[in-house]
Amino acid sequence: MTTLTVQVDNKENAVLLEKILKEMSFVEKVDVNIDTPNIVEEPKGSYQKLKKAIDKTDKSLMFQDIDDPSKWQKDIRDEW
């Protein structure tokens, strides 16, 4: 067995590389070691901030009051 160590420039690319490596048939094990300082990492773009907020939200509570998605969407558009 041979061990390969790779440094990646940011966490998003590290996650992507990890997924790719895990799908390869000849890769036996993938260990991830993320060296981050003790500061809170803030998402950079609006999409990342929204995704982080949604990921923290309990999925069972999201959109529970929407019975008919098409009607809900139509009502939202009518407000414009």
Side-chain angles (χ1 to χ4, degrees):
M1 178 169 53
T2 303
T3 301
L4 175 69
T5 303
V6 179
Q7 288 185 346
V8 184
D9 60 348
N10 63 47
K11 187 176 179 180
E12 292 171 351
N13 289 341
V15 170
L16 177 61
L17 182 58
E18 177 186 7
K19 287 179 182 178
I20 291 170
L21 290 173
K22 284 183 177 180
E23 292 299 319
M24 298 179 144
S25 61
F26 58 87
V27 175
E28 292 182 22
K29 181 180 172 186
V30 178
D31 289 327
V32 179
N33 182 11
I34 300 174
D35 294 327
T36 56
N38 291 335
I39 59 173
V40 176
E41 187 175 318
E42 188 67 29
K44 293 180 182 161
S46 315
Y47 170 80
Q48 292 298 329
K49 288 179 182 179
L50 182 59
K51 183 178 182 324
K52 184 177 178 183
I54 290 173
D55 288 344
K56 286 183 177 180
T57 305
D58 184 9
K59 306 296 187 244
S60 65
L61 298 176
M62 291 179 59
F63 307 113
Q64 66 184 8
D65 57 337
I66 299 174
D67 296 322
D68 181 5
S70 296
K71 181 183 179 314
W72 175 81
Q73 189 175 31
K74 184 177 184 278
D75 292 343
I76 295 295
R77 289 183 178 154
D78 284 344
E79 291 179 10
W80 295 343

